[in-house]
Amino acid sequence: SYAEFIKRAWILIDSSTTKEEITSFMNEVGCAILKPVSSDCGRGIKKINSTDDHLLDCVFQNRESVSYIAEEVLSNCIELKAINPTSFNTIRVTYVLRKDGSVNIFSVMLRTGAISDVVVDNWGAGGILLDVDLQTGIITKPGLDENHNEYTRHPLTNINFLGLKIPRYYEILEFSKAIALKNPKVIYGGLDIAITDNGLELIELNFPPANIGFQVFGKGALKEIQTIKFQ
């Protein structure tokens, strides 16, 4: 179970969920992120308030055909919020498990949204990926969007990416290793890690993760993984 790495409240909304359960959850958290269970790349994700009666009614009426995970809204730490306060910005940690059971983290990236009305940081939703130096936790090269446009500054906030150090970086590495060791069947995974004022939190584990993100920065080629990562 990954429960120890998740502090936020959440609920699965499907055909068995009652209107009272949805209302109770929303009253508890006030604001939630709705994620379609069958979607990916940030598609279909909505931010919803407990006062959004029409949208909540639509979710309830359609729960037979579309299942959602509703999660309590988290807030970035001050450093990540400054990069782009309109999106929830996360750290993507990609790892493999070696044959000896140890964890090899071969890619760490910062993800940030780049469109003012989009709340997610996914590359497929117009976001920017930034490669993080594994040894120092510092960004030393321009970020890239899905169309391969380069960014040395954030297009909305003008924050300079180059030289930016990821907060709590070495803690993130240890946190990620602890998650990876929870399930040895997941030998290749991508972790989305949140940094909040209250610490670190697992947003999701992608199994398998998308390859193209770290490969555009020259990492994770098949030859590299075969000859180094699994030894």
Side-chain angles (χ1 to χ4, degrees):
S1 171
Y2 298 101
E4 65 186 279
F5 307 107
I6 300 171
K7 305 179 183 70
R8 64 195 180 280
W10 63 276
I11 185 175
L12 173 64
I13 300 175
D14 60 14
S15 59
S16 65
T17 309
T18 66
K19 185 68 174 292
E20 290 72 23
E21 288 173 326
I22 297 173
T23 301
S24 176
F25 174 80
M26 290 304 304
N27 287 338
E28 175 190 350
V29 301
C31 186
I33 294 291
L34 283 175
K35 297 180 179 180
V37 171
S38 60
S39 185
D40 59 7
C41 297
R43 298 183 184 93
I45 290 180
K46 300 179 178 67
K47 191 174 183 179
I48 186 171
N49 293 305
S50 59
T51 55
D52 293 333
D53 293 332
H54 176 69
L55 184 52
L56 286 169
D57 284 341
C58 288
V59 170
F60 177 71
Q61 295 298 332
N62 295 327
R63 73 196 191 288
E64 297 273 352
S65 56
V66 182
S67 297
Y68 285 92
I69 293 178
E71 303 180 9
E72 178 184 4
V73 170
L74 298 179
S75 181
N76 277 138
C77 65
I78 189 170
E79 296 92 341
L80 293 194
K81 187 179 293 184
I83 296 171
N84 181 14
T86 64
S87 64
F88 189 66
N89 310 306
T90 60
I91 310 299
R92 167 60 67 90
V93 178
T94 309
Y95 71 89
V96 293
L97 291 181
R98 291 191 178 100
K99 290 181 179 179
D100 64 5
S102 62
V103 182
N104 189 303
I105 293 171
F106 67 90
S107 171
V108 176
M109 294 181 291
L110 169 64
R111 314 190 319 169
T112 179
I115 303 172
S116 59
D117 61 347
V118 177
V119 299
V120 297
D121 60 1
N122 300 73
W123 216 31
I128 297 171
L129 288 180
L130 296 125
D131 187 51
V132 177
D133 182 87
L134 290 174
Q135 301 303 315
T136 65
I138 295 173
I139 295 168
T140 61
K141 61 186 73 169
L144 296 168
D145 65 18
E146 198 172 33
N147 295 316
H148 213 70
N149 297 308
E150 290 191 350
Y151 299 84
T152 58
R153 292 181 175 272
H154 197 286
L156 299 179
T157 62
N158 204 37
I159 290 289
N160 184 15
F161 290 137
L162 302 182
L164 190 151
K165 183 174 176 60
I166 302 301
R168 310 178 79 146
Y169 178 67
Y170 298 106
E171 186 180 345
I172 289 170
L173 297 183
E174 294 307 309
F175 185 75
S176 299
K177 289 177 182 178
I179 296 171
L181 291 172
K182 270 292 178 179
N183 187 354
K185 293 182 179 179
V186 181
I187 61 172
Y188 170 46
L191 307 173
D192 293 336
I193 307 295
I195 313 173
T196 75
D197 288 336
N198 298 320
L200 305 178
E201 182 151 357
L202 175 64
I203 298 300
E204 64 182 30
L205 187 159
N206 298 272
F207 173 54
N211 300 325
I212 190 171
F214 53 76
Q215 287 182 340
V216 297
F217 294 110
K219 296 181 177 179
L222 178 60
K223 182 178 178 181
E224 176 191 12
I225 293 177
Q226 286 178 329
T227 60
I228 299 174
K229 302 305 175 183
F230 288 103
Q231 290 180 356

